[in-house]
Amino acid sequence: MIISPSKLKLRGRFLFLQDIVESNSNINIMDINFSGKRALLRVDFNVPLNKENFSVTDDTRIRRALPTITHILEEGGSIILMSHLGRPMKKLKEDGSIDKEKFTLKHIVPCLVDLLGVEVKFCDETVGEKATEMAANLKRGQVMLLENTRFNEGEKTGDPEFAQALAALADVYVNDAFGTAHREHASTTTVANYFDEEHKCFGELLENELKNAAKVTNNPERPFVAIVGGAKVSDKMLLLDRLLDQVDTLIVGGGMAYTFMKAQGGQIGNSLCEEDRMELANDLVTKARKKGVNLLLPSDSVVADGFSNDANTRIAPSNMIEDGWMGLDIGVYAQNEFTNNIRSAKTILWNGPMGVFEMSNFANGTKLVAQAVAEATKSGGAFSLIGGGDSVAAINQLGLSKQVSYVSTGGGAMLELLEGKELPGVKAMGEGKLES
Ligand code: AMP
């Protein structure tokens, strides 16, 4: 199908998150009739496996894909599932071949069948004669799973030929793999070019991720408090800069706070510091001041004389940490200041832990922040988004994931979305079909 210039112009508007979410465009899964159709569904089944018997150790990603799978099956469609698993091309065997035993998606079939309650036919190739035949023979309500997309050289390069071969397997393309939507790969992006507007859509998970991200990026209810933590400023530079244009309060904790401390003339001992980002840290402080944003750094820290749970610890001002000591968690004053601000928020975004939460002696700051976010959501009616990465691990570990508004499944993808970047997997859905 060739799309008219006026439609293409309209499609251009879909590049904006707000438009994608607010428009009643035909990229909504509810607008496609799957009855009797074969859907090529890109999911994120890149799940952790037990090293000995390759069983799934955390099925969260599979569970989150179930609503879309069920929807298509209930409408009378059939499904060709595809996903990547691990990094097979980076971990080749000694003879240079792919370690198929380790990286095959077949490992996840028992878990998927358990959760879905229907048979899943496994195809030991991603594209080719066998895949074509199996796909062609699919009946209503049947599901097949293709082999790891990353067994193919063309996946990561976004190869059009590989993408076209994938597209040829199905009538409709559905992308529900938010975790890889920031990758310009064949199965996440290029493949969408081979379907017209009536035959491609986001899955329910991906759409939900976009909608929830939009709640914090588009006219958030105020006060809007963002909490950013984790190891490095360099990883979240763009996010911090962008947030300063949007938030009322920006809380910076974790290892990255010490680069700010040092840049402001503080003594940080052996704490994490990125010397080459100190100027940037100062620029962010200046920007916050100009914008009237309440930028909070941890005024005190739990410091330790080694990077170990057994190290000696004490509380110290974050700008007066002696040599031989390092800040591994926020201190008591900072805990109170941060949680008080969080409790009065109406919109909350949290990305990154407040300390080395993997070690019990330095997990308290992260735990208290998580509890304050849950409390603000429950009692204060705030909207809270846990925006990927280690803060998701922390909120799950604390058993609080059901007490916040939304927990994202995509670390890098959510970060890029919040940084204001266009995700290739999202953009491709708004574009017309290539003429082949
Ligand atoms: P990120 O992936 O950038 O969100 O960073 C998460 C990692 O930052 C976790 O593994 C934490 O242990 C680590 N982290 C948090 N606070 C500190 C700190 N004060 N010093 C060293 N590492 C930290």
Side-chain angles (χ1 to χ4, degrees), residues 162-227:
F162 176 48
Q164 206 167 357
L166 286 169
L169 298 174
D171 308 303
V172 181
Y173 172 62
V174 183
N175 188 356
D176 212 16
F178 179 69
T180 42
H182 60 315
R183 307 273 185 222
E184 214 161 336
H185 294 171
S187 69
T188 60
T189 303
T190 327
V191 66
N193 296 333
Y194 298 97
F195 292 87
D196 65 42
E197 69 213 69
E198 270 95 34
H199 295 90
K200 58 182 170 187
C201 67
F202 299 131
E204 293 185 27
L205 172 65
L206 203 155
E207 180 133 346
N208 264 335
E209 295 273 1
L210 297 177
K211 273 186 184 157
N212 282 290
K215 283 186 193 163
V216 302
T217 54
N218 302 334
N219 294 320
E221 205 182 330
R222 298 194 178 270
F224 177 10
V225 175
I227 312 139

Side-chain angles (χ1 to χ4, degrees), residues 134-162:
M134 279 177 74
N137 289 329
L138 273 186
K139 310 246 167 1
R140 284 166 173 263
Q142 290 189 330
V143 181
M144 67 179 271
L145 173 66
L146 298 174
E147 183 55 286
N148 195 338
T149 52
R150 288 196 187 164
F151 283 2
N152 305 271
E153 296 270 0
E155 168 67 338
K156 282 188 142 188
T157 56
D159 178 34
E161 222 173 285
F162 176 48

Side-chain angles (χ1 to χ4, degrees), residues 34-305:
F34 288 95
S35 178
K37 302 236 172 69
R38 279 169 300 163
L40 179 66
L41 173 55
R42 179 50 160 107
V43 284
D44 183 1
F45 284 170
N46 183 30
V47 291
L49 300 176
N50 177 309
K51 285 200 177 74
E52 270 107 54
N53 63 8
F54 298 113
S55 61
V56 176
T57 55
D58 181 348
D59 62 10
T60 310
R61 285 184 172 153
I62 302 178
R63 283 180 189 279
R64 299 285 290 264
L66 293 179
T68 298
I69 299 177
T70 312
H71 173 84
I72 296 169
L73 296 182
E74 280 177 354
E75 271 206 353
S78 56
I79 301 177
I80 302 150
L81 287 166
M82 60 173 174
S83 174
H84 73 285
L85 177 66
R87 298 179 165 191
M89 292 295 187
K90 285 238 165 86
K91 295 179 180 163
L92 294 173
K93 293 206 285 199
E94 268 176 22
D95 65 2
S97 64
I98 295 172
D99 191 344
K100 294 196 173 171
E101 253 168 76
K102 184 173 175 191
F103 292 105
T104 176
L105 260 179
K106 196 173 183 181
H107 295 315
I108 69 120
V109 172
C111 176
L112 179 59
V113 169
D114 255 11
L115 292 171
L116 199 56
V118 297
E119 188 200 349
V120 175
K121 298 171 198 288
F122 181 71
C123 177
D124 62 9
E125 63 181 18
T126 322
V127 291
E129 271 177 36
K130 208 186 282 178
T132 306
E133 196 188 324
M134 279 177 74
N137 289 329
L138 273 186
K139 310 246 167 1
R140 284 166 173 263
Q142 290 189 330
V143 181
M144 67 179 271
L145 173 66
L146 298 174
E147 183 55 286
N148 195 338
T149 52
R150 288 196 187 164
F151 283 2
N152 305 271
E153 296 270 0
E155 168 67 338
K156 282 188 142 188
T157 56
D159 178 34
E161 222 173 285
F162 176 48
Q164 206 167 357
L166 286 169
L169 298 174
D171 308 303
V172 181
Y173 172 62
V174 183
N175 188 356
D176 212 16
F178 179 69
T180 42
H182 60 315
R183 307 273 185 222
E184 214 161 336
H185 294 171
S187 69
T188 60
T189 303
T190 327
V191 66
N193 296 333
Y194 298 97
F195 292 87
D196 65 42
E197 69 213 69
E198 270 95 34
H199 295 90
K200 58 182 170 187
C201 67
F202 299 131
E204 293 185 27
L205 172 65
L206 203 155
E207 180 133 346
N208 264 335
E209 295 273 1
L210 297 177
K211 273 186 184 157
N212 282 290
K215 283 186 193 163
V216 302
T217 54
N218 302 334
N219 294 320
E221 205 182 330
R222 298 194 178 270
F224 177 10
V225 175
I227 312 139
V228 182
K232 293 177 173 174
V233 189
S234 48
D235 291 342
K236 303 200 179 152
M237 225 161 50
L238 285 174
L239 176 67
L240 291 167
D241 184 56
R242 175 104 177 164
L243 286 173
L244 285 175
D245 295 323
Q246 300 166 329
V247 301
D248 302 291
T249 298
L250 178 59
I251 294 173
V252 177
M256 68 169 64
Y258 301 100
T259 298
F260 283 83
M261 285 293 164
K262 188 159 182 191
Q264 297 282 298
Q267 187 191 333
I268 61 165
N270 294 34
S271 309
L272 269 188
C273 181
E274 289 174 279
E275 306 264 344
D276 56 340
R277 303 295 159 150
M278 281 169 36
E279 198 179 327
L280 170 99
N282 276 338
D283 290 347
L284 291 171
V285 172
T286 308
K287 180 170 177 181
R289 211 171 284 142
K290 277 193 191 145
K291 292 244 164 198
V293 172
N294 182 22
L295 174 63
L296 296 177
L297 294 164
S299 38
D300 62 344
S301 294
V302 177
V303 299
D305 61 0

Side-chain angles (χ1 to χ4, degrees), residues 229-232 235-236 254-255 258 272 307 327-329 351-358 390:
K232 293 177 173 174
D235 291 342
K236 303 200 179 152
Y258 301 100
L272 269 188
F307 191 78
L328 295 185
D329 196 7
N351 184 306
M354 296 292 96
V356 185
F357 75 105
E358 299 94 333
D390 276 341

